[in-house]
Each structure stands twice: as C-alpha cells, then as structure tokens.
Amino acid sequence: MAKRNILRFRIVMVLALFAGLWPAQAAAQDILSDREESSKQYLVQLDGSVGIDNFSNTKAILTLAPSPEGAQNTYVLTVSGWPRDNGLNTFVWVSDDTLMTDVSSMVVCRVVDSAFKQANIHFYYLSPRLLRAATVTQHEKEDIRQARKVALPTRIAANAGELSLNFMGGAVTGRVWITGYDPVGRAFVHYQANIQGELSRGLQSTHSVGKRD
C-alpha cells in the first residue's frame, strides 16, 4: 500500500511539472505561429538618450526568427539602424551573443560578460570630444552645429546591456539599455531607448562607409 502511494505521488509530481512548463513553452512559440513566414520584421522607432544628449524618431529594423535546432536561445533576434545600420543614435543587437529568456509574448536578452568573446552588440553616437574646438571663439555655438554636420558617429561596443520586448500581434514595444567605453572621449557612455513599432517586410539597411566602426 505504501509503495503504491509513493508511486502515485511521483506520477502526480511529474504531471504537475509538465503542466507548469507546457503553457509557457507553447505560448512562446505563438509569437511566430500567426504568420506563414518563418520570421517577422518590424520597423521600430527609438526615443531615448545617450550620454547627456536626447534623441527621438530614430528608426531601426527588428527581426525575430526561430532558432536552429539545438540552439541555446528560443529565437534569433536582431536589431540594426534604418535606413543606415550604423546611423547616429542607432544600435546593433545580435541575440546569439546574449542570454535569452522568453515567457508568453515577452522576450528579454542580456549581454553575457565573457572574456573569450566580444558580443556583437554596440551603439553609435557622437562623442562630445569630436565637438570640442581647438580654440574657443565667439562663434562657439555655430562651430558646434557645423561640427555635428560633419563629425562621424563613434561605435561603442557593449560591456553590459539588456533588451526587453513585448510582441502583441502586429506590434512590438520594449526598452533597451547598453553601456560601453568611448575610446574617443575616454569615458563610459550609457545608451537607453524606448522601442515601439509595427510589422513590416522587405526593408534593408545600407552601411555608410567611413564611419568609426
């Protein structure tokens, strides 16, 4: 009788375990199951700040696709600027180099600190050092405006960061933050932005040659 009760208890525990895991796994797959395509592309808007500067209406392309069999993460998630993938105040995110968690419609990626591999995650901003004139003149404000027109954005590699997204039908919202070291300004810089966008298709970014990347 005692052995039968123990066996029954073990069966109940196993069933409870699967009952707890199955809904989350099934719901995670629903992000991609409502379209015939094997991936989804979103055109998103970025509004945020980098260093002491604020920015708004910066565009990026976000793509979500299923991971290949045996991969650590559930999805392959990439983000890059649009119409230029290295445009001012844009960022690049490749989820292969992150630790991903996904529950229902939420996907969160975190930069993993590794001494063996630099994550393919970075942002582009205008280092304040590029705007400093050699000499101060009475036309300082105009000089800064002109410098902003010709200065090249600096690529800042991430040493920490997190991207959190919520997929709701044809829309996506979320937030990203990245911290990295600016070799030009010789200081750490913090990038953060709110993300919102809608499904799109067929968009491609160009890469501007001559940027600091």
Side-chain angles (χ1 to χ4, degrees), residues 46-78:
L46 309 174
D47 300 304
S49 63
V50 54
I52 61 173
D53 291 333
N54 296 322
F55 61 86
S56 61
N57 204 30
T58 298
K59 303 295 185 181
I61 296 174
L62 186 155
T63 303
L64 185 74
S67 290
E69 186 176 353
Q72 176 181 355
N73 295 331
T74 307
Y75 304 105
V76 176
L77 194 156
T78 61

Side-chain angles (χ1 to χ4, degrees), residues 86-100:
N86 55 349
L88 181 64
N89 299 327
T90 62
F91 73 98
V92 171
W93 193 284
V94 180
S95 63
D96 290 347
D97 301 328
T98 68
L99 178 63
M100 177 184 291

Side-chain angles (χ1 to χ4, degrees):
M1 187 69 178
K3 291 183 178 180
R4 183 179 299 175
N5 289 336
I6 293 174
L7 179 60
R8 184 179 301 171
F9 175 78
R10 288 178 177 175
I11 293 174
V12 171
M13 291 298 294
V14 170
L15 292 176
L17 178 61
F18 276 100
L21 292 177
W22 173 253
Q25 292 173 342
Q29 296 299 326
D30 286 345
I31 297 177
L32 291 173
S33 66
D34 59 349
R35 280 171 61 108
E36 295 181 359
E37 295 88 344
S38 60
S39 65
K40 288 185 176 182
Q41 183 188 77
Y42 299 81
L43 179 62
V44 300
Q45 176 175 311
L46 309 174
D47 300 304
S49 63
V50 54
I52 61 173
D53 291 333
N54 296 322
F55 61 86
S56 61
N57 204 30
T58 298
K59 303 295 185 181
I61 296 174
L62 186 155
T63 303
L64 185 74
S67 290
E69 186 176 353
Q72 176 181 355
N73 295 331
T74 307
Y75 304 105
V76 176
L77 194 156
T78 61
V79 183
S80 62
W82 185 84
R84 298 187 300 275
D85 62 12
N86 55 349
L88 181 64
N89 299 327
T90 62
F91 73 98
V92 171
W93 193 284
V94 180
S95 63
D96 290 347
D97 301 328
T98 68
L99 178 63
M100 177 184 291
T101 58
D102 55 276
V103 177
S104 187
S105 62
M106 295 289 298
V107 178
V108 179
C109 300
R110 297 178 179 87
V111 175
V112 179
D113 186 13
S114 173
F116 304 101
K117 182 180 180 180
Q118 174 67 55
N120 188 12
I121 296 170
H122 48 272
F123 63 88
Y124 295 91
Y125 95 121
L126 199 55
S127 177
R129 191 178 183 87
L130 299 175
L131 303 179
R132 296 176 186 170
T135 58
V136 178
T137 69
Q138 60 180 341
H139 305 293
E140 181 179 0
K141 291 184 178 180
E142 179 62 27
D143 291 341
I144 291 177
R145 281 195 292 269
Q146 291 300 320
R148 285 186 177 275
K149 294 180 180 180
V150 300
L152 304 178
T154 303
R155 169 177 165 166
I156 308 297
N159 62 6
E162 181 176 289
L163 173 64
S164 57
L165 299 167
N166 185 25
F167 295 90
M168 302 167 291
V172 61
T173 58
R175 184 176 176 83
V176 62
W177 66 265
I178 305 171
T179 299
Y181 184 75
D182 176 4
V184 178
R186 299 178 183 178
F188 281 94
V189 185
H190 184 75
Y191 175 101
Q192 67 85 25
N194 293 318
I195 300 170
Q196 59 178 357
E198 297 181 349
L199 278 172
S200 184
R201 64 173 63 189
L203 295 178
Q204 291 185 342
S205 296
T206 59
H207 188 85
S208 295
V209 178
K211 300 296 184 183
R212 296 177 182 270
D213 61 343

